[in-house]
Amino acid sequence: VWFAGARGSVATTTIVGSLLLRAGLARPVGCVTALPDFPSDGLVGVADLVFGGHDVVDVPLAKRAEQLVSAGVLPAEPVAAIAGQLGEAATELRPAPVSGDVVAAIAADLTAFRERVGADRVVVVNLTPTEPPLDPLPAHSDADGLLAALASSELRLPPSSLYACAAFVAGCSFVDFTPSPGVRVPAVAELAIRAEVPYAGNDGKTGETLLKSVLAPMFARRNLNVRSWSGLNLLGAGDGANLADPGARASKLASKDRVLAGTLGDVPPGEVGIGYVPDLGDWKTAWNLVTFDGFLGVPMRLEFTWHGCDSALAAPLVLDLARLVAAAHRDGRVGPLPELGFFFKDPLGDGPHGLDAQWRELTAFAAGLGQP
Amino acid sequence: VWFAGARGSVATTTIVGSLLLRAGLARPVGCVTALPDFPSDGLVGVADLVFGGHDVVDVPLAKRAEQLVSAGVLPAEPVAAIAGQLGEAATELRPAPVSGDVVAAIAADLTAFRERVGADRVVVVNLTPTEPPLDPLPAHSDADGLLAALASSELRLPPSSLYACAAFVAGCSFVDFTPSPGVRVPAVAELAIRAEVPYAGNDGKTGETLLKSVLAPMFARRNLNVRSWSGLNLLGAGDGANLADPGARASKLASKDRVLAGTLGDVPPGEVGIGYVPDLGDWKTAWNLVTFDGFLGVPMRLEFTWHGCDSALAAPLVLDLARLVAAAHRDGRVGPLPELGFFFKDPLGDGPHGLDAQWRELTAFAAGLGQP
Amino acid sequence: VWFAGARGSVATTTIVGSLLLRAGLARPVGCVTALPDFPSDGLVGVADLVFGGHDVVDVPLAKRAEQLVSAGVLPAEPVAAIAGQLGEAATELRPAPVSGDVVAAIAADLTAFRERVGADRVVVVNLTPTEPPLDPLPAHSDADGLLAALASSELRLPPSSLYACAAFVAGCSFVDFTPSPGVRVPAVAELAIRAEVPYAGNDGKTGETLLKSVLAPMFARRNLNVRSWSGLNLLGAGDGANLADPGARASKLASKDRVLAGTLGDVPPGEVGIGYVPDLGDWKTAWNLVTFDGFLGVPMRLEFTWHGCDSALAAPLVLDLARLVAAAHRDGRVGPLPELGFFFKDPLGDGPHGLDAQWRELTAFAAGLGQP
Amino acid sequence: VWFAGARGSVATTTIVGSLLLRAGLARPVGCVTALPDFPSDGLVGVADLVFGGHDVVDVPLAKRAEQLVSAGVLPAEPVAAIAGQLGEAATELRPAPVSGDVVAAIAADLTAFRERVGADRVVVVNLTPTEPPLDPLPAHSDADGLLAALASSELRLPPSSLYACAAFVAGCSFVDFTPSPGVRVPAVAELAIRAEVPYAGNDGKTGETLLKSVLAPMFARRNLNVRSWSGLNLLGAGDGANLADPGARASKLASKDRVLAGTLGDVPPGEVGIGYVPDLGDWKTAWNLVTFDGFLGVPMRLEFTWHGCDSALAAPLVLDLARLVAAAHRDGRVGPLPELGFFFKDPLGDGPHGLDAQWRELTAFAAGLGQP
């Protein structure tokens, strides 16, 4: 598993968590593929995953883990107990290439990593900060032209798309855990087909949208008439600071809207705000108000407040996705994996947005892994 | 459709609502069987339902409708427009038999109603106040003995069970929209088998438990560890006053607990309170706090507040149940109908408690109605 | 009492409410000056108030009242009972002057109203939609020049300031129930001094800010360290539509911020959003999250949801302000009335922002009214 | 300062906190007497307080501190830095006398402590678990008889009253931070008068009631009509387990009710529940729903959720009370101190229940301390 954004909270929690699981110092809470519904023989074991990655910052992994211990995201004593393994894991983290032919540089690092650790295949997981939506350009439609233009610096793409390109060039699969452009650039998607590798995305569904994906179908199935759905997401840490940027916020809000359109038919009126509250740190508080009509137009309301730790919700899903996408790669799946919509706010393809329908697609997909 | 508790808020809303639907003055919001997933040809049309019922109070139906208009439960102008039809409907309401052989008296009223209105069959729907759990007695196990003992006043049963007995004796199907003993008395269930009629229950799922039935599966499928689930239900009106009684409260709380046990495996620790707040009138406010662990034991929380109008949530489900149970009766179904768990807090049989699994059972059941 | 915005929800509720109070069909709930803390002999009686006003729309008052009855803001039967008085009151409403020398036209209407109804004095209350903040101009500092420039259409001012000018020119007192520029234009304030009349404002404190004005002092007096204060205000109706405009929103948010700065010393970090949700109609739902530190840095939190009907909260305060400002005018008070900060989000002067300190100032002020 | 319940969370947090303050490792957040409104020269300095106490359990203080660090109540590194001082403080903790003449035994320990540490005076603070209300007995009215009966084991009193007796016998002042009987026994109060010492209580106001003491006056001053006030308190730890006992719960609920009666005139209808949720640990989550009428009977609502750490809220108040009561003792005050109502749910005397009026009484009281 190769992370773009390897020193961020999610990647650090994923690496530390997998070490703790391997050491028997943690239970796989939050890991969907650890449920009995998932046949373990079709999947790569968590213990067999090896991690590496790029980041633009160079704070040591042990330091990041320590910060997350202070923030209450990681448990103090177990983390102290795996200090050695963590130091070893840190040796596979590299500075992110930022100049020259970045795609080629990333791809070279991916190939070298795969060989060095003796992996059968590599899953690249994008965890870099959310980027604004990308205006389409003619150059985005031609795979060869795109690579050439990137190599000669005639064209610029955001990191999410650069990592996707590099993953495909190096024959790796790709997971976009963010709502950034990534594989949405047509030429990048074409590279995946050429490389005969699968990819999954977009935007990990960890909190408010997870709730929407069960509550909206509830209203639909009870034939209740949702009149408005409003909310405010308050988040601290780097994610909050980044989403204070209007462009990044636009990507995130568009991604969040999908679930209501996909389950209620229409997006009901209502504002969804995102607020940056540094004091919340790695936690996220989301409040939603749903107004709806019952029989004979009687007005009713539902409010909820979700108070979750994003890294702790995301990290086990990253492990799940690495296991599932690696298995799909092994089984020869190519291109988008719409069956993984369960994990995403804005799933690839035309699949369902209700969590239960996504669950059935996911378990059917998992049941087929490793089958002849 | 024959109501036990025909002048209560739910029955009045159901009768008024069906008249408004027939007159084209309302949309079937909240009616599950009005969704396109339900083939209308297998079901009795709402316009073909005729209502009658018993009640221990004798306030006129028009007066009850007026009170519900004042309370904001029914819309003023449309109700005024159907005053004539409402007056006609009121002629089928009768005082509840309370002395002598009550079962025989109810059964006679049911038979007379069926003949008078020319109905093919009658569904009896129990909407009487929640009763305490019943201690089992030997007399509860023998159908013939039970009827004889009731006839001679040697044995007493609560109204829910008396109505169930009478329904079965008169060859009618039965729906228990409450958590009362009803058909839970073995001899009463035996009467249904003998009469070759179906029955459904228990306890309409209208608010807090509806939410639990989608939220608990969400936690389970994300492998999140629910640490506690607590709540407070505040309700006014007659329902609130009745549930201030510890016995009735015990029935209600037991019924509410089923969904967590059925979806999370265990009932997590936590208190569920029921409070009587007259000012809430027909509305119910339920607050829930769920604490749960994510990856590596990180503590998180979810709170919700549901503010719903019980009658407006229950009435369309009563229409749905009447249509579905009448069709099942027509098709020769006998005994419990576990496929209708979607509608109930404490479904008959061993079916699922998650709303989506219940939905699939329900739609499969509906698809089979009217098929050869 | 002369309203700018006389056909809006607040003015209509105020007029209807005062007629109902006079007819003994309502209790003065929400009227602060009806509390025993206020000596009635120093104040104008509610029954002695006569209403008139301008509006840019011409929907009949009875129609507006009917809409508010449908919306649940006004009670149906009592309003029907005062239909005659309401028709009479409607004869004092006029189209708002919008061209020519608007200040002179308004002032002429004010003078004619005062004479026609035989009032001792007139209080002009601004209830027009919130306006954006005004960039200061040199012309804003010279009273004579301002009036001349307005008369010749060389200068434009927003309605709030035009009404303030006209009120002062006509010798009337003025209340700004909005956060609009109004008397904040220095030359307008000078006109009040010249006319020897008092004025009060700004921005009626009806909901979220009211709560902040008791909660923020609570944190301060317990020496708890507020780390962030975030919130979302959802509102429908015209107010919501108007506040969707960024300029108006800026005025409103600046006004809302004052209370935290005034009670906590600093405005803690946090976002305050305003969302337009048409389905909420005249109701407003505000959610706030406060994070704070206790002893030894322990993080804690407070959330609240306020669900209030703005017109029903504002109208009794408008009556209070009319009574108090008219009495101050009678008593010879000139210029700003900082003692009325209790009623406002952004009080004039340097008075306290905590509700209890404002209460003490208010009751001391009221005690002095009518005293030699 | 002598604690009854010296190894509980509140006492441990108080002792640790005062050591951290003294060492400059913490700021006095939550300490009311650290605000500039309190003249430091009239009060005993926090650094001059010495702690001792009794407990029925004998878990070492360092162990308790460690548990509170794990629970997130105490900060890890600063606590490690004062390990030495903590060990020293632990030497003043004693097993609680439980047999024989308990009053005499406690009094002896108090006298010995005062001499050993060279204190001018001792404040006894009751932090033992909440006790059920006490049925009045004739023996409760006679001070001499009471002491004799206790000495000969003819009469039993709960620990709160035993500690109060012993404090007064030993010439110490007394603070009841719980709603237990304590000084409510008339003969015990008589002992305070005889000993010429002051006492304060009852039941520290740390969370939900604190909010009520600002929100209820807000409704009253706005002349809004509170229709119901309901709530649920969820708490873990020992406090929660103890309050699962119906008797203790009755004491706590009676204490909580006082604030609404004292500020709204009547206690509005509504249920207040207390639930034990072990997972909450030292945290307490309280949800409240207030329904109220505005002008013309328009129904509105306020909900809040308070999520606080009880020990962190209580400990600084214990320091405040120790400083204030010691100063009152020094200044010759005798009997109840109603001016300290700011700190209590159920204040002694007939003082106000609104927080702001209590604040004014408190600051006036503090200003008078140490004055000739």
Side-chain angles (χ1 to χ4, degrees):
Chain A
V1 184
W2 189 267
F3 292 123
R7 300 183 193 278
S9 296
V10 176
T12 306
T13 304
T14 308
I15 295 171
V16 169
S18 77
L19 295 175
L20 291 172
L21 287 172
R22 199 176 307 181
L25 293 171
R27 292 188 306 125
V29 171
C31 293
V32 174
T33 51
L35 288 169
D37 310 77
F38 291 81
S40 60
D41 53 349
L43 295 171
V44 182
V46 171
D48 295 329
L49 298 175
V50 185
F51 297 92
H54 284 137
D55 206 312
V56 291
V57 300
D58 60 1
V59 50
L61 192 59
K63 178 79 184 165
R64 288 293 290 124
E66 199 181 291
Q67 290 166 351
L68 291 167
V69 166
S70 297
V73 178
L74 296 177
E77 290 180 30
V79 169
I82 55 149
Q85 295 95 308
L86 194 59
E88 205 176 313
T91 63
E92 287 298 346
L93 304 194
R94 300 275 180 279
V98 289
S99 60
D101 185 345
V102 171
V103 169
I106 299 170
D109 276 354
L110 290 172
T111 307
F113 172 66
R114 184 168 47 204
E115 288 174 7
R116 195 165 55 245
V117 303
D120 291 325
R121 58 198 72 78
V122 172
V123 186
V124 177
V125 180
N126 179 36
L127 297 172
T128 56
T130 295
E131 302 153 0
L134 202 60
D135 292 325
L137 292 176
H140 292 170
S141 301
D142 166 29
D144 290 320
L146 186 88
L147 288 180
L150 289 171
S152 65
S153 301
E154 280 164 52
L155 183 74
R156 297 173 58 87
L157 279 181
S160 64
S161 296
L162 297 177
Y163 274 94
C165 285
F168 302 148
V169 164
C172 304
S173 57
F174 182 75
V175 172
D176 204 331
F177 209 76
T178 80
S180 296
V183 194
R184 293 172 216 243
V185 175
V188 178
E190 194 189 327
L191 289 172
I193 306 296
R194 280 198 203 173
E196 301 193 335
V197 294
Y199 60 90
N202 287 18
D203 205 5
K205 180 160 68 184
T206 52
E208 185 189 41
T209 309
L210 176 64
L211 281 160
K212 286 182 174 174
S213 73
V214 298
L215 293 173
M218 180 195 80
F219 287 112
R221 285 172 176 179
R222 278 295 176 97
N223 202 7
L224 296 166
N225 185 23
V226 173
R227 298 290 304 262
S228 73
W229 198 309
S230 312
L232 181 61
N233 265 268
L234 300 172
L235 56 172
D239 204 15
N242 178 50
L243 290 173
D245 172 75
R249 194 183 287 228
S251 289
K252 180 57 86 177
L253 291 177
S255 176
K256 279 173 161 294
D257 256 8
R258 302 276 194 278
V259 62
L260 296 186
T263 50
L264 296 175
D266 280 308
V267 178
E271 310 259 330
V272 178
I274 295 183
Y276 174 41
V277 179
D279 187 48
L280 292 178
D282 287 280
W283 263 257
K284 185 187 283 184
T285 293
W287 175 79
N288 272 220
L289 170 68
V290 187
T291 63
F292 60 99
D293 276 1
F295 200 41
L296 309 178
V298 178
M300 312 192 196
R301 28 200 302 139
L302 169 67
E303 279 175 56
F304 69 79
T305 304
W306 170 267
H307 183 57
C309 174
D310 236 35
S311 309
L313 290 161
L317 304 183
V318 168
L319 290 177
D320 289 327
L321 284 162
R323 298 180 75 193
L324 289 160
V325 173
H329 189 181
R330 178 202 62 209
D331 289 1
R333 280 291 300 264
V334 173
L337 296 173
E339 299 95 332
L340 301 184
F342 181 83
F343 295 99
F344 297 109
K345 291 194 189 75
D346 183 16
L348 296 168
D350 297 324
H353 283 78
L355 194 72
D356 61 294
Q358 292 176 334
W359 169 259
R360 290 196 301 280
E361 290 209 348
L362 173 63
T363 48
F365 171 79
L369 291 173
Q371 304 299 318
Chain B
V1 183
W2 189 267
F3 292 123
R7 300 183 193 276
S9 296
V10 176
T12 305
T13 304
T14 307
I15 295 172
V16 169
S18 77
L19 294 175
L20 291 173
L21 287 172
R22 200 175 307 181
L25 294 170
R27 292 189 304 126
V29 171
C31 293
V32 174
T33 52
L35 288 169
D37 310 76
F38 291 80
S40 60
D41 54 348
L43 293 172
V44 183
V46 171
D48 295 329
L49 298 175
V50 185
F51 298 91
H54 283 137
D55 206 312
V56 291
V57 300
D58 59 3
V59 51
L61 193 59
K63 179 78 185 165
R64 286 294 290 124
E66 200 181 289
Q67 291 166 351
L68 291 168
V69 167
S70 297
V73 179
L74 296 177
E77 291 179 30
V79 169
I82 56 148
Q85 294 95 306
L86 194 60
E88 205 176 311
T91 64
E92 288 297 348
L93 304 195
R94 301 275 180 280
V98 290
S99 61
D101 186 344
V102 171
V103 169
I106 298 170
D109 276 355
L110 290 172
T111 307
F113 172 67
R114 184 168 50 202
E115 289 173 6
R116 193 164 57 243
V117 303
D120 291 327
R121 58 198 70 78
V122 173
V123 186
V124 176
V125 180
N126 180 37
L127 298 171
T128 56
T130 295
E131 302 153 358
L134 202 61
D135 290 327
L137 292 176
H140 291 172
S141 302
D142 166 28
D144 291 318
L146 185 87
L147 288 180
L150 289 171
S152 65
S153 302
E154 279 164 52
L155 184 73
R156 297 173 58 88
L157 280 181
S160 62
S161 296
L162 296 177
Y163 275 94
C165 285
F168 302 149
V169 164
C172 305
S173 55
F174 182 76
V175 173
D176 206 332
F177 210 75
T178 79
S180 297
V183 194
R184 292 173 216 243
V185 176
V188 179
E190 194 190 329
L191 289 172
I193 306 295
R194 280 199 203 173
E196 300 193 338
V197 294
Y199 60 89
N202 288 10
D203 205 6
K205 181 162 66 185
T206 52
E208 185 190 43
T209 310
L210 176 64
L211 280 160
K212 285 181 174 174
S213 74
V214 298
L215 293 173
M218 179 194 82
F219 287 111
R221 286 173 176 178
R222 277 297 176 96
N223 203 5
L224 296 166
N225 185 23
V226 173
R227 298 289 304 260
S228 73
W229 197 310
S230 311
L232 181 62
N233 265 267
L234 299 173
L235 58 172
D239 203 16
N242 178 53
L243 290 174
D245 173 75
R249 194 183 286 229
S251 289
K252 180 58 86 177
L253 291 177
S255 177
K256 279 173 164 291
D257 256 8
R258 302 277 194 276
V259 63
L260 296 186
T263 50
L264 296 176
D266 279 309
V267 178
E271 309 260 329
V272 178
I274 295 183
Y276 175 40
V277 179
D279 187 48
L280 291 179
D282 287 280
W283 263 259
K284 185 187 284 185
T285 294
W287 174 76
N288 271 218
L289 171 68
V290 187
T291 62
F292 61 99
D293 274 1
F295 198 43
L296 310 178
V298 177
M300 312 192 196
R301 21 198 309 139
L302 170 67
E303 279 176 56
F304 69 79
T305 303
W306 170 266
H307 184 56
C309 173
D310 236 36
S311 309
L313 290 161
L317 303 184
V318 169
L319 291 177
D320 288 328
L321 285 163
R323 298 180 76 193
L324 290 160
V325 173
H329 189 181
R330 179 200 62 208
D331 288 2
R333 281 290 302 261
V334 173
L337 295 172
E339 299 94 333
L340 301 184
F342 180 82
F343 295 99
F344 296 110
K345 290 194 190 73
D346 183 16
L348 296 168
D350 296 325
H353 283 78
L355 194 71
D356 61 295
Q358 292 176 335
W359 169 259
R360 290 197 301 280
E361 291 209 347
L362 173 63
T363 49
F365 171 79
L369 291 173
Q371 303 300 319
Chain C
V1 184
W2 189 266
F3 291 123
R7 300 183 194 277
S9 296
V10 175
T12 305
T13 304
T14 308
I15 295 172
V16 169
S18 77
L19 296 175
L20 291 173
L21 287 171
R22 199 176 307 182
L25 294 170
R27 292 188 306 126
V29 171
C31 294
V32 174
T33 52
L35 288 169
D37 310 77
F38 292 80
S40 60
D41 54 348
L43 294 172
V44 183
V46 171
D48 295 329
L49 298 176
V50 185
F51 298 91
H54 284 138
D55 207 311
V56 291
V57 299
D58 59 3
V59 50
L61 192 60
K63 178 78 187 165
R64 287 294 291 123
E66 199 181 289
Q67 289 166 352
L68 290 168
V69 167
S70 296
V73 178
L74 296 177
E77 291 179 29
V79 169
I82 55 149
Q85 295 95 305
L86 194 60
E88 205 176 312
T91 64
E92 288 297 348
L93 305 195
R94 300 275 181 279
V98 289
S99 60
D101 186 344
V102 170
V103 169
I106 298 171
D109 276 355
L110 290 172
T111 307
F113 171 67
R114 184 168 48 203
E115 289 173 6
R116 194 163 56 244
V117 304
D120 291 326
R121 56 199 71 80
V122 172
V123 186
V124 177
V125 180
N126 179 37
L127 297 172
T128 57
T130 295
E131 302 153 359
L134 202 62
D135 290 327
L137 292 176
H140 291 171
S141 302
D142 166 28
D144 291 317
L146 185 87
L147 288 180
L150 289 172
S152 64
S153 301
E154 279 163 53
L155 183 74
R156 297 173 58 86
L157 280 180
S160 64
S161 296
L162 297 178
Y163 275 94
C165 285
F168 302 148
V169 164
C172 304
S173 57
F174 182 76
V175 173
D176 205 332
F177 210 75
T178 80
S180 297
V183 194
R184 292 173 214 243
V185 176
V188 179
E190 194 190 328
L191 289 172
I193 306 297
R194 281 199 202 174
E196 300 192 337
V197 294
Y199 59 90
N202 290 11
D203 205 6
K205 180 161 67 185
T206 52
E208 185 189 41
T209 310
L210 177 63
L211 281 160
K212 286 182 174 173
S213 73
V214 297
L215 294 173
M218 178 193 82
F219 287 111
R221 285 171 176 180
R222 278 297 176 96
N223 202 6
L224 296 166
N225 186 22
V226 174
R227 298 289 305 260
S228 72
W229 198 310
S230 312
L232 181 62
N233 265 267
L234 299 173
L235 58 171
D239 204 16
N242 178 52
L243 290 173
D245 172 75
R249 194 184 288 229
S251 289
K252 180 59 87 178
L253 291 176
S255 177
K256 279 173 162 293
D257 255 9
R258 302 275 195 277
V259 62
L260 296 186
T263 50
L264 296 175
D266 279 308
V267 178
E271 310 260 329
V272 178
I274 295 183
Y276 175 40
V277 179
D279 189 48
L280 291 178
D282 286 280
W283 263 258
K284 186 188 283 185
T285 293
W287 174 79
N288 272 219
L289 170 68
V290 187
T291 62
F292 60 99
D293 274 0
F295 199 42
L296 309 179
V298 178
M300 313 192 196
R301 27 201 302 140
L302 170 67
E303 279 176 56
F304 69 79
T305 304
W306 170 267
H307 183 57
C309 173
D310 236 36
S311 309
L313 290 161
L317 303 183
V318 169
L319 291 176
D320 289 327
L321 285 163
R323 299 180 75 191
L324 291 160
V325 173
H329 189 181
R330 179 200 63 207
D331 288 2
R333 280 290 302 263
V334 173
L337 296 172
E339 299 95 333
L340 302 185
F342 180 81
F343 295 100
F344 296 109
K345 290 193 188 76
D346 183 16
L348 297 168
D350 296 326
H353 283 79
L355 194 72
D356 62 294
Q358 293 177 333
W359 169 258
R360 290 196 301 280
E361 292 209 347
L362 173 63
T363 49
F365 171 79
L369 291 173
Q371 304 300 319
Chain D
V1 185
W2 188 266
F3 292 124
R7 300 182 193 277
S9 295
V10 175
T12 306
T13 304
T14 308
I15 296 171
V16 169
S18 76
L19 295 175
L20 291 173
L21 287 171
R22 198 175 308 180
L25 294 171
R27 292 188 306 127
V29 171
C31 292
V32 174
T33 52
L35 288 168
D37 309 76
F38 291 80
S40 59
D41 54 347
L43 294 171
V44 183
V46 171
D48 295 329
L49 298 176
V50 185
F51 298 91
H54 284 136
D55 206 312
V56 291
V57 300
D58 59 1
V59 49
L61 192 59
K63 178 78 184 166
R64 287 294 290 124
E66 199 181 291
Q67 290 165 351
L68 290 168
V69 166
S70 297
V73 178
L74 296 177
E77 289 180 30
V79 170
I82 55 148
Q85 295 97 306
L86 194 60
E88 205 176 312
T91 62
E92 287 297 348
L93 305 195
R94 298 277 180 280
V98 290
S99 60
D101 186 345
V102 171
V103 169
I106 297 170
D109 277 354
L110 290 171
T111 307
F113 171 67
R114 184 168 47 204
E115 288 174 7
R116 195 164 55 244
V117 303
D120 291 326
R121 56 199 72 79
V122 172
V123 186
V124 176
V125 181
N126 179 36
L127 298 171
T128 57
T130 294
E131 302 153 359
L134 201 61
D135 291 326
L137 292 177
H140 292 171
S141 302
D142 166 28
D144 291 319
L146 185 87
L147 287 181
L150 288 172
S152 65
S153 301
E154 280 164 52
L155 183 74
R156 297 174 58 86
L157 279 180
S160 63
S161 297
L162 297 177
Y163 276 94
C165 286
F168 303 148
V169 165
C172 304
S173 57
F174 182 75
V175 173
D176 205 333
F177 210 76
T178 80
S180 297
V183 195
R184 293 173 215 243
V185 175
V188 179
E190 194 190 328
L191 289 172
I193 306 296
R194 281 199 201 172
E196 301 193 334
V197 294
Y199 59 90
N202 289 19
D203 204 5
K205 181 161 65 184
T206 51
E208 184 189 42
T209 308
L210 177 62
L211 280 159
K212 286 182 173 174
S213 74
V214 298
L215 293 173
M218 179 194 80
F219 287 111
R221 285 172 176 179
R222 278 295 176 98
N223 202 5
L224 296 166
N225 186 21
V226 174
R227 297 289 305 262
S228 73
W229 198 310
S230 311
L232 181 61
N233 265 267
L234 299 173
L235 57 172
D239 204 15
N242 178 51
L243 290 173
D245 172 76
R249 192 183 289 227
S251 289
K252 181 57 87 176
L253 291 177
S255 175
K256 280 173 162 291
D257 256 8
R258 302 277 195 276
V259 63
L260 295 186
T263 50
L264 297 176
D266 279 309
V267 178
E271 310 259 330
V272 178
I274 295 183
Y276 175 39
V277 179
D279 188 48
L280 291 178
D282 287 280
W283 264 258
K284 185 188 284 186
T285 293
W287 175 79
N288 271 220
L289 171 68
V290 187
T291 63
F292 60 99
D293 275 0
F295 199 41
L296 309 179
V298 178
M300 312 191 197
R301 22 198 309 137
L302 169 67
E303 278 175 58
F304 70 78
T305 303
W306 170 268
H307 183 58
C309 173
D310 236 36
S311 309
L313 290 161
L317 303 183
V318 169
L319 291 176
D320 288 328
L321 285 162
R323 299 180 74 192
L324 290 160
V325 173
H329 189 182
R330 177 201 65 208
D331 288 2
R333 280 290 301 264
V334 173
L337 295 172
E339 299 95 332
L340 302 185
F342 181 81
F343 295 99
F344 296 109
K345 291 195 189 74
D346 184 14
L348 296 169
D350 297 324
H353 283 79
L355 193 72
D356 61 294
Q358 292 176 334
W359 169 259
R360 290 197 300 281
E361 291 210 347
L362 173 63
T363 48
F365 171 80
L369 291 173
Q371 305 298 318

